[in-house]
Amino acid sequence: MLTKSSTELVRQRNSVLVLATLRRHGPLAHTEISDFTRLSSATVSAITADLEKAQVIEKSEQQAASGRGRPRVLLRQRRDCGYLIVVIISSDAVQYSLVDYSGKLIDRFSEERSHDPDGAGRFVNGVRAGLERILSRSRIEREKVLLISISSKGLVNSSEPVLVWSPIFGSDQIDFELALKPEWKAKVILDNETLLVAAALGAREENVKGADFRSLAALSLGHSIGLGIVRRTTHGGHEVSAPNFGHMLHMANGGLCRCGTRGCIEAYAGFYAILRTAFEVPLDTIPAKFVPVAELDKIAARARQGHRISGFAFRQAGLALGNGLSRMLSLTERMPIAITGPGTRYYDLLRQGIEEGLGQSHMVRREGMPELRVVADEQILVFEGHLNRALAVIDEDIVVAGLQGGD
Amino acid sequence: MLTKSSTELVRQRNSVLVLATLRRHGPLAHTEISDFTRLSSATVSAITADLEKAQVIEKSEQQAASGRGRPRVLLRQRRDCGYLIVVIISSDAVQYSLVDYSGKLIDRFSEERSHDPDGAGRFVNGVRAGLERILSRSRIEREKVLLISISSKGLVNSSEPVLVWSPIFGSDQIDFELALKPEWKAKVILDNETLLVAAALGAREENVKGADFRSLAALSLGHSIGLGIVRRTTHGGHEVSAPNFGHMLHMANGGLCRCGTRGCIEAYAGFYAILRTAFEVPLDTIPAKFVPVAELDKIAARARQGHRISGFAFRQAGLALGNGLSRMLSLTERMPIAITGPGTRYYDLLRQGIEEGLGQSHMVRREGMPELRVVADEQILVFEGHLNRALAVIDEDIVVAGLQGGD
DNA sequence: GATTTTTTTCTCGACAGTCGAGAAATTTAG
DNA sequence: CTAAATTTCTCGACTGTCGAGAAAAAAATC
């Protein structure tokens, strides 16, 4: 059902638009905001006056006159308007970052995770302690933390911050909202890690290509396999999703996966799967929990020297990825695929299999091979995705909460 | 990039909203419109006055006073406001329907298609002739036809009315906009047939479940395999898509498909594929162009009597469908699956395979089997989908074109 | 140093849209 | 014939955007 529209909504949307351009382009003068947003100067005045009154933005002190005419008054976000805590959960550590409203990193530390199965409950307590720690290290009041943005590998509920399935905890669901509600008033959001990578790459791509950007997929290779898809919507926004790609069926009754099912893509392309194939262990062997990367490096070295079985393991992994990607593309549209994650160091060995696997489908035969590119620095992209998403959410919340003049 | 908002946009959206509720609920009084849309009475007055001036809606003449108080004045769409031509292309015929602005069917006929390969060019000329015929049979001026809505099986460009690939013409692209531009000023839209089925089912489902409706997939079984997906967007609208499901890879290096690729789902689940398996013809045999349904009925009868190979053929088809669906669900979310098309008559034989194929994936094991339901009357659903979509487009166009008071 | 030019910001009036309240219209009940 | 009920319509208040022009302020020019 469509929903009604009103003038207040107009103001809300335009206010968010102003905040978003300020975020994208840094401190801007009145006229520049008007240019970027295509709002009239009068409207920009009205909106910025409101935002200023609500202590969300502030006038920059004077700045060296950069030309003639009345000097510009730059508007910038007030850093102390609110804060964001980013929590990045990976298989061996949890990283906490404190960021101010302008997106500037204030503090950061990582905590190693014990590899013994501590269970979901103890893990959550660890996260709570980590949050307390980063808060107390700063001099920031608890109320000023507007948002806690968490990411993990695995399957995430799209509407609530609930980790539904993860390679680490399996089906032990974790409801972060529930867990953090006692001490935190801040909103809690949870996203799949590769979704954030895709979001960040999509934002970058749009900055370059502008309206030409349509869609993009990010494929993360590592112990597990992640996929994120970002698409432009008709309204000009971005829609992102993180399908359960690693556990999509590759081959019926195939190799045993960590998740307990047979034939998942991960059971062919995950690090443990490559190891299993290379050592000619039977495919129904229960896979190793952790595989040291050094181990895989050795296999890669042998493969590069022409060792048959080692090469075959990587090619097999590539085939599973290629077939899976071709299936994904059959269900969406042709889009570039950015490959990230620790597995990119073996891309030279995987590539042939990926392309062969892609080529086996009607879709690729008709429309041609999608663009494949390797993107390093997955960690940076994850953080960038966090910021893009979280700060946009904060902007929206601030505007929707109403701008009834700060205290 | 977000885009700016304005008060005119508000009016446009609300006008469309009024037209949409009128469409859904039939002739309504002022107060009822206000109730359904949650717009204030004053706003409804303003909008309906504009629409009436533009000759889009009209006040219903008298009607029996149904209670006390001032009698209601019903508002209804003016049927002569504009017309719509629906063209449904199927493998053996093309059906033309003329519909007025209120959605009432005025005229309809079908034209058989010659089975000799007439090629895309001659086919398009046939469509042009059909359109002329349905126009001249009515007394309607050409300018009053606002939209031509076409559907076909196959792959459709999402933004332009271009048939990219179809089981009938292969890769001979057909650009209907280009082909019809000389004589028609009307807008031309083209949709995949199963997409329309999904859209219609989604609309029905939402009428029943209201906000509880989230998403749904329609699977059409026949000579070829179609899939349509409909999802509610956050704004309350519906997003539909028609992926290339029939030619998604089922099994690498598998049976030869009509499209020339090996291992497509259709090469296991299409009618010709079932025939091929049942007759133990090698899987790389070039498949028959047309399979009489009677032939398949015979195999089904044998299968029901316990004939092994015949039963196997259907089970094999079900497996391909089930695996494909499980892959689709891995990429989206769990959703009910409505099965339509002529193949539903064999559902008793397919079902076991479908469920087994679905059950082989992590996703189904974790979240459980999706709801499977058989929906007959595919033809009616296709037409219903046409109307839903086309009339919504017309409403939008009328409002956006501006309501500068019809002549 | 005074004046002009240029550029930016701010303000004002016009216009569009929504809403609530109440007036007007019209039928039924008593 | 009057009162009650119900629907439609209108009016004034409020909020929003926009264009134009006034006000501000520094650089350039005479």
Side-chain angles (χ1 to χ4, degrees):
Chain A
M1 187 59 178
L2 299 170
T3 174
K4 79 170 181 181
S5 204
S6 68
T7 49
E8 290 112 88
L9 267 178
V10 171
R11 180 54 154 271
Q12 274 185 17
R13 295 175 66 101
N14 286 342
S15 298
V16 169
L17 178 60
V18 167
L19 287 179
T21 54
L22 223 42
R23 196 166 287 297
R24 194 196 294 282
H25 298 102
L28 293 179
H30 194 104
T31 36
E32 295 170 308
I33 296 180
S34 173
D35 286 350
F36 282 128
T37 60
R38 306 201 149 280
L39 291 168
S40 78
S41 165
T43 305
V44 173
S45 277
I47 290 175
T48 53
D50 280 359
L51 291 172
E52 206 181 339
K53 205 180 298 170
Q55 311 203 338
V56 177
I57 63 175
E58 62 189 351
K59 292 210 176 84
S60 181
E61 300 313 305
Q62 88 316 330
Q63 65 144 26
S66 61
R68 59 200 210 169
R70 179 172 172 174
R72 301 184 153 188
V73 177
L74 294 192
L75 296 167
R76 56 154 44 98
Q77 299 128 320
R78 286 186 62 153
R79 290 203 171 148
D80 57 355
C81 164
Y83 297 88
L84 159 71
I85 301 179
V86 171
V87 182
I88 298 178
I89 301 169
S90 58
S91 57
D92 48 359
V94 183
Q95 183 194 67
Y96 300 84
S97 308
L98 180 67
V99 180
D100 71 20
Y101 178 66
S102 77
K104 188 168 153 49
L105 181 66
I106 298 177
D107 187 16
R108 167 177 286 175
F109 59 83
S110 280
E111 286 184 347
E112 300 258 319
R113 292 189 42 209
S114 55
H115 273 188
D116 51 290
D118 41 4
R122 276 184 56 188
F123 173 72
V124 166
N125 282 334
V127 171
R128 288 168 67 177
L131 289 171
E132 292 302 327
R133 186 172 157 210
I134 201 159
L135 181 71
S136 63
R137 273 165 62 142
S138 74
R139 296 265 166 222
I140 292 165
E141 306 148 53
R142 192 180 288 272
E143 284 71 35
K144 281 281 191 177
V145 175
L146 302 180
L147 189 68
I148 299 174
S149 180
I150 310 177
S151 69
S152 163
K153 290 187 192 298
L155 211 57
V156 158
N157 185 319
S158 59
S159 52
E160 288 158 294
V162 175
L163 185 60
V164 176
W165 188 91
S166 63
I168 306 163
F169 301 109
S171 296
D172 276 3
Q173 297 209 354
I174 302 181
D175 184 336
F176 285 101
E177 172 134 307
L178 206 68
L180 302 180
K181 188 173 263 172
E183 52 253 30
W184 295 93
K185 281 191 303 188
K187 192 172 189 170
V188 180
I189 62 176
L190 170 67
D191 283 304
N192 171 286
E193 190 176 293
T194 316
L195 177 141
L196 294 176
V197 173
L201 287 171
R204 282 189 187 177
E205 187 101 341
E206 187 166 50
N207 276 341
V208 177
K209 288 195 187 172
D212 286 346
F213 168 67
R214 288 189 47 80
S215 53
L216 180 146
L219 177 68
S220 170
L221 305 180
H223 298 289
S224 59
I225 308 293
L227 184 79
I229 300 175
V230 53
R231 254 176 298 205
R232 272 173 73 98
T233 62
T234 45
H235 321 290
H238 285 182
E239 189 199 58
V240 287
S241 59
N244 193 8
F245 184 75
H247 300 280
M248 186 166 117
L249 182 68
H250 168 53
M251 188 181 291
N253 301 314
L256 186 63
C257 178
R258 281 195 295 185
C259 72
T261 313
R262 303 179 66 105
C264 296
I265 289 179
E266 191 184 297
Y268 288 85
F271 279 179
Y272 69 83
I274 295 175
L275 197 76
R276 184 167 64 184
T277 311
F279 285 156
E280 298 186 80
V281 176
L283 284 183
D284 53 357
T285 310
I286 293 178
K289 270 243 156 179
F290 289 93
V291 177
V293 175
E295 201 66 29
L296 222 66
D297 279 344
K298 276 191 235 160
I299 300 173
R302 278 204 289 274
R304 291 193 183 103
Q305 284 163 10
H307 184 246
R308 210 182 57 77
I309 292 287
S310 300
F312 174 73
F314 283 102
R315 188 157 160 283
Q316 193 83 333
L319 268 175
L321 293 171
N323 281 345
L325 288 173
S326 92
R327 285 163 179 146
M328 186 268 287
L329 294 175
S330 290
L331 292 175
T332 60
E333 56 180 23
R334 189 157 166 272
M335 60 180 76
I337 294 162
I339 302 178
T340 67
T344 48
R345 64 208 301 179
Y346 313 122
Y347 185 62
D348 58 325
L349 298 166
L350 294 166
R351 181 173 165 185
Q352 198 198 344
I354 292 177
E355 292 188 351
E356 188 179 334
L358 274 164
Q360 284 169 343
S361 77
H362 172 59
M363 192 275 173
V364 170
R365 286 177 44 146
R366 193 170 42 72
E367 298 190 17
M369 191 70 69
E371 180 195 339
L372 294 170
R373 61 177 92 142
V374 174
V375 179
D377 290 331
E378 187 179 33
Q379 286 314 305
I380 293 174
L381 288 167
V382 172
F383 188 67
E384 199 173 307
H386 266 287
L387 291 193
N388 288 350
R389 248 174 126 58
L391 295 173
V393 169
I394 290 181
D395 282 349
E396 173 109 13
D397 283 356
I398 285 178
V399 168
V400 171
L403 298 169
Q404 297 92 340
D407 47 302
Chain B
M1 188 59 178
L2 300 169
T3 173
K4 79 169 182 183
S5 203
S6 68
T7 49
E8 285 123 88
L9 267 178
V10 171
R11 180 55 154 270
Q12 276 185 16
R13 293 175 68 102
N14 286 342
S15 298
V16 169
L17 178 61
V18 167
L19 287 178
T21 54
L22 224 44
R23 174 140 281 136
R24 193 197 295 282
H25 299 102
L28 293 180
H30 194 103
T31 35
E32 296 171 308
I33 295 180
S34 173
D35 286 351
F36 282 127
T37 59
R38 308 202 148 280
L39 290 168
S40 77
S41 165
T43 307
V44 174
S45 276
I47 289 175
T48 54
D50 280 359
L51 290 173
E52 206 181 341
K53 206 181 296 172
Q55 312 204 337
V56 177
I57 63 175
E58 62 190 351
K59 291 209 175 84
S60 182
E61 300 313 305
Q62 83 324 326
Q63 70 143 29
S66 62
R68 60 201 209 164
R70 179 172 172 172
R72 302 183 153 189
V73 178
L74 294 192
L75 296 168
R76 56 154 43 101
Q77 298 129 321
R78 286 186 61 154
R79 290 202 171 149
D80 57 355
C81 164
Y83 298 88
L84 159 71
I85 301 179
V86 172
V87 182
I88 298 178
I89 301 169
S90 57
S91 58
D92 48 0
V94 182
Q95 183 194 66
Y96 300 84
S97 307
L98 181 66
V99 180
D100 71 21
Y101 179 65
S102 76
K104 190 170 151 47
L105 182 65
I106 298 177
D107 187 17
R108 167 177 285 175
F109 61 81
S110 281
E111 286 185 346
E112 301 257 320
R113 293 190 40 209
S114 55
H115 273 190
D116 51 289
D118 39 6
R122 274 183 60 187
F123 172 73
V124 167
N125 283 334
V127 171
R128 289 169 67 176
L131 288 171
E132 293 300 328
R133 187 171 155 209
I134 201 158
L135 182 71
S136 63
R137 273 164 63 141
S138 73
R139 295 265 165 223
I140 291 165
E141 306 148 52
R142 189 179 292 269
E143 284 73 32
K144 280 281 190 179
V145 176
L146 301 180
L147 188 68
I148 300 173
S149 180
I150 310 177
S151 70
S152 163
K153 290 186 193 302
L155 210 59
V156 158
N157 184 319
S158 59
S159 52
E160 289 159 295
V162 175
L163 186 59
V164 175
W165 187 91
S166 65
I168 306 163
F169 301 109
S171 296
D172 276 3
Q173 297 209 354
I174 302 181
D175 182 338
F176 285 102
E177 173 136 306
L178 206 67
L180 302 180
K181 188 173 258 173
E183 52 253 31
W184 295 93
K185 279 192 302 187
K187 192 172 187 169
V188 181
I189 62 177
L190 170 67
D191 283 304
N192 171 285
E193 192 176 292
T194 315
L195 177 142
L196 294 176
V197 173
L201 287 171
R204 283 188 186 178
E205 188 102 340
E206 185 165 51
N207 276 340
V208 177
K209 289 195 189 171
D212 286 346
F213 167 68
R214 287 190 47 81
S215 54
L216 181 146
L219 177 68
S220 171
L221 304 180
H223 298 288
S224 60
I225 309 294
L227 183 80
I229 300 176
V230 54
R231 254 176 299 203
R232 271 173 73 99
T233 62
T234 44
H235 322 289
H238 284 183
E239 189 200 58
V240 288
S241 58
N244 194 8
F245 185 75
H247 300 282
M248 187 165 114
L249 182 69
H250 168 51
M251 188 180 291
N253 302 312
L256 187 63
C257 177
R258 281 195 296 184
C259 73
T261 312
R262 303 179 68 105
C264 296
I265 290 179
E266 189 184 297
Y268 289 84
F271 280 179
Y272 69 84
I274 296 174
L275 198 77
R276 185 167 63 183
T277 311
F279 285 157
E280 300 185 80
V281 177
L283 285 182
D284 54 356
T285 310
I286 292 177
K289 269 245 155 179
F290 289 92
V291 177
V293 174
E295 201 65 30
L296 222 65
D297 280 343
K298 274 191 236 160
I299 299 173
R302 278 203 289 273
R304 291 191 184 105
Q305 284 162 10
H307 184 247
R308 209 183 57 77
I309 292 286
S310 300
F312 174 75
F314 283 101
R315 186 156 163 286
Q316 193 82 335
L319 268 176
L321 293 171
N323 280 345
L325 287 173
S326 91
R327 285 164 179 147
M328 187 267 288
L329 294 175
S330 290
L331 292 175
T332 58
E333 57 181 22
R334 190 156 166 275
M335 60 179 76
I337 294 162
I339 302 178
T340 68
T344 49
R345 66 209 300 180
Y346 312 123
Y347 184 62
D348 57 325
L349 299 167
L350 294 167
R351 180 174 164 185
Q352 198 199 345
I354 292 178
E355 292 188 351
E356 189 180 333
L358 274 165
Q360 286 167 342
S361 76
H362 172 58
M363 194 273 171
V364 170
R365 286 175 46 146
R366 192 169 43 73
E367 299 191 16
M369 192 68 70
E371 180 194 340
L372 293 170
R373 62 177 88 143
V374 173
V375 180
D377 289 332
E378 187 180 33
Q379 286 314 304
I380 293 174
L381 287 168
V382 172
F383 188 67
E384 202 174 304
H386 265 288
L387 290 193
N388 287 350
R389 247 173 125 60
L391 293 173
V393 169
I394 289 181
D395 281 349
E396 172 111 13
D397 283 357
I398 285 178
V399 168
V400 171
L403 298 170
Q404 298 90 339
D407 46 305

